[in-house]
Amino acid sequence: MKSHPTIKPARTAKLRKAPGQPAPDASGEGPKNLTDRAYEVVRRLILQRELSGGEVLVEGRLAERLQMSRTPLREALLRLEGEGLLVRANARSYAVRRITASHYFQCLQVRERLESQAVSLAMGHVPADTLQRLRNDILSLDSSQQGSSHWHADDEIHGMFARASGNAMLAETIAHLRVLCRLFEVVDPFNRIEDDRAEHLAILDAYLAGDEKAAEQAVVAHLRNLARYTLSRLSNGLVSDLPQ
């Protein structure tokens, strides 16, 4: 009888990382997800003033503080620099951008032109139920909600018409200008809940009525009132004109 060859058990193949491919993160998140998460966290800290204007962010220390690895954090900081929220302090660090009052007023002037155009272009493109929901949200705000609830409603109404305009570049520019204004506004949080409510409702009501001209005028009036209010606070020393 012929002897049969011994069959050896197959070896378990070792998985090797392809050249240039980042190793999997222990959390199970891919590099893009980690970068997105780092971006969202740092952006929120800036807009909520937990990282204040002019504060220098050293990559290593920030990574330790947020318990994040440095590579996705570095990519997130680059994105935030591109958005104008951060500026280079030196080769190894960034600083949170400071917005002067003059820069703030310039942004408001540009927003007048762009946002009035956006609401005009958006006529008929925002569903009535979306407008009514937002209207109810605005009505439910009170003077104690200067924080996240106010900013959410403010972002919704200004961003909604920009996105519905059908012009992506217009929407992107408005979003950028609003971020710059936000950096100045929250140095000393404004208390315009009642005025904002009335002005936002005037915009929505004009839009719901299909009155394009009135909607444009309501947007311009809202931004000019905000400028006048800010100027009065500057005149009384209630808002600091910080160096850029």
Side-chain angles (χ1 to χ4, degrees):
M1 296 179 61
K2 293 182 179 180
S3 59
H4 295 282
T6 304
I7 299 175
K8 295 181 180 180
R11 292 183 179 178
T12 302
K14 291 184 179 180
L15 295 176
R16 294 186 179 180
K17 179 176 73 70
Q21 180 183 354
D25 184 78
S27 67
E29 292 187 71
K32 185 177 186 299
N33 288 338
L34 288 170
T35 299
D36 289 344
R37 184 158 61 86
Y39 165 81
E40 293 294 340
V41 169
V42 179
R43 189 176 192 274
R44 184 175 66 250
L45 291 175
I46 293 170
L47 293 181
Q48 292 180 352
R49 307 310 290 175
E50 292 183 47
L51 295 172
S52 57
E55 182 174 346
V56 175
L57 308 181
V58 179
E59 185 183 290
R61 290 204 292 267
L62 186 60
E64 289 178 9
R65 172 180 171 180
L66 302 179
Q67 297 184 325
M68 294 179 173
S69 57
R70 295 177 68 163
T71 300
L73 179 60
R74 184 179 303 122
E75 293 173 1
L77 296 178
L78 281 170
R79 284 173 61 181
L80 292 165
E81 181 189 17
E83 284 188 14
L85 287 171
L86 297 178
V87 293
R88 283 278 182 178
N90 55 53
R92 293 179 174 273
S93 62
Y94 295 86
V96 179
R97 186 172 185 177
R98 282 177 164 175
I99 298 297
T100 65
S102 60
H103 194 177
Y104 174 75
F105 288 122
Q106 290 168 14
C107 287
L108 286 181
Q109 288 179 335
V110 178
R111 284 180 59 192
E112 276 187 31
R113 297 292 185 92
L114 298 187
E115 292 195 40
S116 59
Q117 181 182 16
V119 76
S120 176
L121 292 172
M123 291 300 292
H125 296 298
V126 182
D129 58 344
T130 299
L131 294 164
Q132 192 57 54
R133 175 190 54 77
L134 181 54
R135 198 176 191 283
N136 292 338
D137 288 345
I138 292 169
L139 285 169
S140 69
L141 292 173
D142 60 45
S143 58
S144 68
Q145 293 175 301
Q146 183 63 39
S148 59
S149 297
H150 167 78
W151 289 120
H152 177 72
D154 195 65
D155 287 340
E156 279 272 302
I157 190 165
H158 289 278
M160 176 178 64
F161 295 122
R163 290 189 298 271
S165 69
N167 186 322
M169 184 59 68
L170 177 64
E172 183 179 325
T173 304
I174 289 171
H176 176 65
L177 291 169
R178 281 184 46 72
V179 165
L180 296 183
C181 286
R182 177 88 170 264
L183 286 176
F184 179 76
E185 288 177 336
V186 294
V187 168
D188 183 275
F190 294 174
N191 296 298
R192 291 193 78 248
I193 296 296
E194 297 304 325
D195 290 335
D196 271 355
R197 187 206 317 274
E199 292 162 16
H200 285 157
L201 289 175
I203 296 169
L204 290 176
D205 290 344
Y207 186 93
L208 281 164
D211 191 332
E212 181 178 328
K213 193 65 176 177
E216 290 179 10
Q217 291 172 345
V219 168
V220 171
H222 168 54
L223 294 172
R224 288 184 180 176
N225 287 339
L226 182 56
R228 278 192 286 269
Y229 176 81
T230 306
L231 187 59
S232 70
R233 288 174 68 82
L234 282 166
S235 300
N236 291 305
L238 296 176
V239 176
S240 299
D241 186 4
L242 297 171
Q244 195 171 5

